[in-house]
Amino acid sequence: MKKLLLTFCILWMISSCTEEKVDAPFIFDNPEIAINIPADFPEVNDSFFTNKPTKYGVELGKKLFFDKKLSRDNTVSCATCHIQENAFADQNPKGIGIDGKIGFRNTPPIQNLAFMQVYNWDGNKTALENQVLVPIITPEEMDSSILEVIGKISNDATYIELFHKTFGDDTITGERIFNSIAQFEYTLISANSKYDKVKRKEGAIFTDNEAQGYQVFKNKCANCHSTELFTDQSFRNIGFPVNPNSEEKGRTRVSLNAKDLMSFRVPTLRNIAYTAPYGSFGQFATLKEVLDYLDKGVIESDNLDPILKDNNNRIPLTEKEKENLISFMKTLSDLEFITE
Amino acid sequence: MNNLKKYLFLSIISLAIISCEDDSIPVANNVTLAFNNTFGNTTIVLGDATSTEATQNTSSENQVHHFSEAKYIISNIRLINKDGIEFPYNVNNLDTGATIIDQSNPSTLQYVLNGIPSTEYTQIKFGLGVKAALNTLDQELFPAFYSADKKLHWFWATGYRFTKIEGFYGETNTPLSVHTGSVLGGDKTDETTWSSEAAHARNAYRDITLDLTTNAKVGENAPKINIKADFNKVLSGTNKITLNAATEGYVSGSAPSHHTSPETMVQFVDNMGGNGDTDITGMFSIESVEN
């Protein structure tokens, strides 16, 4: 039976050859790529399982991530604000988009996002795929629209080939763009800092300062900056100076709950040395400024985090402790992540 | 889907019956929804901060105010006939079944429903805002509605602003701003997750039900339903809202005035769109039906 079929197929191919040119048959082969999940990292986001990184999906997502065509006037790409050497954040207090327009908040780094359950400062998105459209349409970021983007890339042979290889046909849709960029972002995993190498006993050891800083960290910071991501992903008001933009409500914008006013997601400390300035609108230029502020005392409010309330609205730190803490935080820098 | 099929089936049957009666009656005709945006019985005149033309209104809490902008989305329109059969009008298509009412643009104040089956209608239902399942700023699905007014995009939530009011209040004409829309909450594909109190606050979509004062007789006639939207209710509806000066540092519970504080958004939403339970009309009422 199989032979018969094969003969038929061959005959058909030969006969059709006389009439038209036959392209090499397209074989859809877009394997999932292996993602090394670092030991002790938290659970991955559910969305990851429905959009697992594939060989060509990641390649396509990366190309889109660096493509300025995603903006109205072709001047801004994702990578404009998410710069690899800054752990895919940037060095501006607030994001700077099209026409030099200044955004609302500090650009968050893009790292270990597969392990996050909530995204952005206020957790307005819970799936990475749903976040991609936001900068594309926001007037202070790319000020474009998904049909505009599709229109611009749909005549590009490289894109057509990549969509074909990724999805099995040439169709370019918003969903495919969102999924492939998310796939690329899922692959951005940082877990090769000195801290990791010490933990994994790969020969690295902390200096005295770093070791003492680690002790201070465990005593005074690890309640919030917990897990191997150095964030418990909770929303807290820690009494930082308030963004003068009256739109700023913190987590309340999403939860509509007054108890969340000026609460923000605890930021990760991984690669923190690369992501200055700090705070939701970049209100601190250096890590030292952040620690000085926490030591001196924060803004009182009804919903100030209980940990601060119970400690007279401050985290007392000696100058030596601050110095050691900063040394420790620098062991969270992952040089491979920002260069490779 | 089953419901839809049922309605379609019934409407076809009733159409068949109606059309059998007299061949001269068309099987369908237009219905025009005409919106009159008022403070009480006075149609609103918009104006900037110091305008002398703008309609002034005084809230129940004695705050004098006027608007410079008033926009809202109407979608999910359904007409109910005297037999209780509901005729959905492109309820799953924002391009053909939703519209933005903009007080500054008279042509938007009338929305024509095309091809409404000939029968006698007693009730109208519509949504203030966009129901959760469609509220995703999807330009590929609904390019026309998406592009109709980008000021009604709530970018960060990738949904629409359902109402947008700008204006001024008090002796010094302090700016006021009421923006409502749905934010993250519940599963957008599962309406049952939108029923809790917290979800109610986050889902700013409201279903409005209005009994027609006179039956709208569609057939030879193309009726016009005049709907009043009384914006006095924005501040003085079920919830009596006082606009306060913004508080430094946003102490918990404060309500910054010139922009609606989110924790009070549900109060504005319920004032305009009802609470979906004891109040299913909100600020809307039927002024008249012209057959």
Side-chain angles (χ1 to χ4, degrees):
Chain A
M1 185 62 191
K2 272 185 185 165
K3 263 189 186 167
L4 195 67
L5 256 175
L6 192 66
T7 320
F8 260 106
C9 284
I10 289 170
L11 277 173
W12 175 78
M13 280 172 78
I14 292 168
S15 65
S16 45
C17 273
T18 56
E19 288 158 31
E20 52 192 312
K21 181 174 162 278
V22 172
D23 287 330
F26 172 74
I27 297 161
F28 181 64
D29 181 25
N30 183 23
E32 279 178 17
I33 59 170
I35 298 287
N36 287 325
I37 295 182
D40 304 327
F41 265 38
E43 294 276 293
V44 294
N45 190 302
D46 281 348
S47 285
F48 175 87
F49 294 109
T50 56
N51 184 32
K52 281 187 169 177
T54 57
K55 184 180 173 192
Y56 294 112
V58 170
E59 192 181 327
L60 172 60
K62 186 173 183 181
K63 184 172 167 61
L64 287 162
F65 188 88
F66 286 90
D67 195 337
K68 293 181 175 176
K69 289 200 196 87
L70 265 62
S71 61
R72 173 179 35 84
D73 63 357
N74 308 320
T75 59
V76 179
S77 73
C78 305
T80 303
C81 296
H82 296 291
I83 303 163
Q84 184 173 9
E85 63 187 62
N86 301 116
F88 296 95
D90 66 11
Q91 296 188 297
N92 300 311
K94 294 186 274 188
I96 299 177
I98 201 163
D99 298 329
K101 283 184 186 161
I102 294 174
F104 184 32
R105 292 178 180 151
N106 185 253
T107 303
I110 295 182
Q111 52 178 340
N112 303 326
L113 295 190
F115 310 96
M116 298 298 291
Q117 304 302 323
V118 281
Y119 299 100
N120 299 323
W121 283 102
D122 59 15
N124 66 322
K125 295 292 173 194
T126 54
L128 202 47
E129 292 77 8
N130 297 340
Q131 162 60 23
V132 179
L133 180 64
V134 178
I136 294 175
I137 60 175
T138 299
E140 294 80 20
E141 298 186 48
M142 292 165 161
D143 194 30
S144 184
S145 81
I146 198 62
L147 287 186
E148 204 170 89
V149 171
I150 293 170
K152 282 186 203 171
I153 66 175
S154 60
N155 296 320
D156 182 324
T158 319
Y159 270 119
I160 293 169
E161 192 189 343
L162 265 175
F163 274 91
H164 204 124
K165 283 178 168 171
T166 306
F167 300 105
D169 64 66
D170 292 353
T171 314
I172 298 177
T173 66
E175 193 184 10
R176 288 178 171 187
I177 291 172
F178 306 149
N179 285 352
S180 49
I181 291 179
Q183 282 187 25
F184 166 62
E185 292 177 336
Y186 285 142
T187 66
L188 301 176
I189 295 175
S190 173
N192 274 322
S193 64
K194 180 174 181 180
Y195 164 84
D196 295 299
K197 288 168 183 169
V198 171
K199 277 261 156 174
R200 292 197 296 256
K201 301 192 169 62
E202 290 174 3
I205 46 166
F206 283 141
T207 65
D208 287 348
N209 283 356
E210 288 163 359
Q212 283 165 32
Y214 189 32
Q215 280 311 313
V216 179
F217 168 81
K218 284 198 272 194
N219 292 335
K220 301 189 176 178
C221 316
N223 268 324
C224 307
H225 295 284
S226 62
T227 81
E228 288 303 289
L229 292 186
F230 293 85
T231 165
D232 66 354
Q233 304 193 44
S234 66
F235 300 90
R236 298 167 187 261
N237 178 352
I238 56 166
F240 271 12
V242 172
N243 192 329
N245 187 327
S246 67
E247 297 262 334
E248 184 60 275
K249 306 289 187 298
R251 173 71 176 164
T252 293
R253 178 168 86 156
V254 176
S255 70
L256 297 174
N257 188 335
K259 291 193 183 82
D260 294 326
L261 270 169
M262 296 307 149
S263 295
F264 297 96
R265 196 194 62 194
V266 174
T268 177
L269 298 181
R270 283 188 175 271
N271 292 309
I272 193 79
Y274 301 133
T275 64
Y278 306 103
S280 64
F281 63 109
Q283 59 268 58
F284 300 105
T286 63
L287 289 171
K288 179 68 166 45
E289 279 184 25
V290 177
L291 297 179
D292 285 344
Y293 185 85
L294 286 167
D295 176 31
K296 215 175 106 207
V298 303
I299 300 170
E300 161 72 21
S301 62
D302 294 356
N303 68 332
L304 185 68
D305 198 83
I307 295 174
L308 282 156
K309 275 203 169 169
D310 295 345
N311 285 290
N312 299 317
N313 302 352
R314 58 190 285 251
I315 301 177
L317 291 164
T318 65
E319 289 307 304
K320 186 67 191 158
E321 284 176 322
K322 290 176 199 169
E323 194 186 304
N324 289 339
L325 256 183
I326 292 170
S327 297
F328 168 69
M329 285 193 272
K330 285 182 176 168
T331 72
L332 298 169
S333 294
D334 180 348
L335 195 63
E336 285 169 43
F337 181 70
I338 66 153
T339 51
E340 283 175 11
Chain B
M1 196 60 206
N2 271 334
N3 270 343
L4 191 68
K5 275 186 185 158
K6 191 171 74 189
Y7 294 143
L8 262 172
F9 182 61
L10 286 169
S11 57
I12 288 165
I13 288 180
S14 52
L15 272 178
I17 293 166
I18 292 162
S19 42
C20 279
E21 283 170 355
D22 185 344
D23 280 349
S24 66
I25 299 175
V27 292
N29 210 330
N30 293 347
V31 171
T32 301
L33 306 183
F35 289 87
N36 182 18
N37 301 316
T38 69
F39 284 131
N41 290 321
T42 311
T43 299
I44 291 175
V45 176
L46 302 171
D48 59 20
T50 55
S51 168
T52 50
E53 309 284 309
T55 313
Q56 299 286 336
N57 189 48
T58 305
S59 73
S60 58
E61 307 303 298
N62 267 321
Q63 287 185 310
V64 177
H65 56 283
H66 69 273
F67 294 162
S68 55
E69 184 179 324
K71 293 176 180 171
Y72 53 97
I73 294 174
I74 297 294
S75 70
N76 201 16
I77 300 162
R78 289 141 293 158
L79 288 165
I80 294 89
N81 80 356
K82 56 186 185 338
D83 302 319
I85 300 167
E86 195 170 285
F87 295 82
Y89 184 74
N90 301 332
V91 292
N92 291 314
N93 187 329
L94 297 179
D95 278 358
T96 56
T99 190
I100 297 166
I101 309 294
D102 174 357
Q103 181 61 10
S104 71
N105 181 354
S107 69
T108 67
L109 301 180
Q110 300 210 348
Y111 186 56
V112 179
L113 314 178
N114 298 305
I116 300 300
S118 298
T119 178
E120 234 177 271
Y121 295 95
T122 59
Q123 199 180 52
I124 183 169
K125 293 183 181 177
F126 57 85
L128 177 61
V130 179
K131 59 184 177 180
L134 300 181
N135 188 34
T136 56
L137 285 188
D138 193 330
Q139 189 190 17
E140 290 167 281
L141 269 181
F142 308 120
F145 191 76
Y146 178 93
S147 303
D149 187 347
K150 289 196 177 173
K151 294 271 190 246
L152 292 185
H153 289 188
W154 214 333
F155 303 102
W156 62 269
T158 47
Y160 289 95
R161 282 176 171 152
F162 299 166
T163 62
K164 183 174 185 289
I165 297 168
E166 311 293 341
F168 306 90
Y169 76 97
E171 283 174 18
T172 55
N173 285 315
T174 310
L176 72 86
S177 188
V178 177
H179 300 169
T180 68
S182 295
V183 294
L184 185 79
D187 174 355
K188 78 180 174 71
T189 59
D190 180 4
E191 299 262 352
T192 60
T193 64
W194 289 78
S195 58
S196 71
E197 194 183 327
H200 174 74
R202 295 157 130 205
N203 182 7
Y205 172 85
R206 291 292 182 270
D207 220 27
I208 309 289
T209 303
L210 301 173
D211 292 329
L212 300 183
T213 47
T214 311
N215 289 355
K217 294 169 186 158
V218 179
E220 286 180 346
N221 305 323
K224 183 171 161 191
I225 302 173
N226 294 300
I227 300 170
K228 181 165 86 173
D230 180 3
F231 281 82
N232 177 52
K233 297 234 171 133
V234 174
L235 296 180
S236 318
T238 326
N239 303 303
K240 312 297 176 202
I241 298 172
T242 305
L243 299 169
N244 296 317
T247 314
E248 195 68 34
Y250 297 104
V251 176
S252 175
S254 73
S257 65
H258 82 277
H259 193 283
T260 306
S261 101
E263 69 269 26
T264 61
M265 186 175 84
V266 65
Q267 297 181 28
F268 288 97
V269 171
D270 287 352
N271 276 357
M272 291 186 280
N275 60 11
D277 180 22
T278 51
D279 177 8
I280 52 170
T281 61
M283 65 178 174
F284 296 96
S285 61
I286 300 293
E287 278 185 329
S288 65
V289 177
E290 298 169 35
N291 278 301

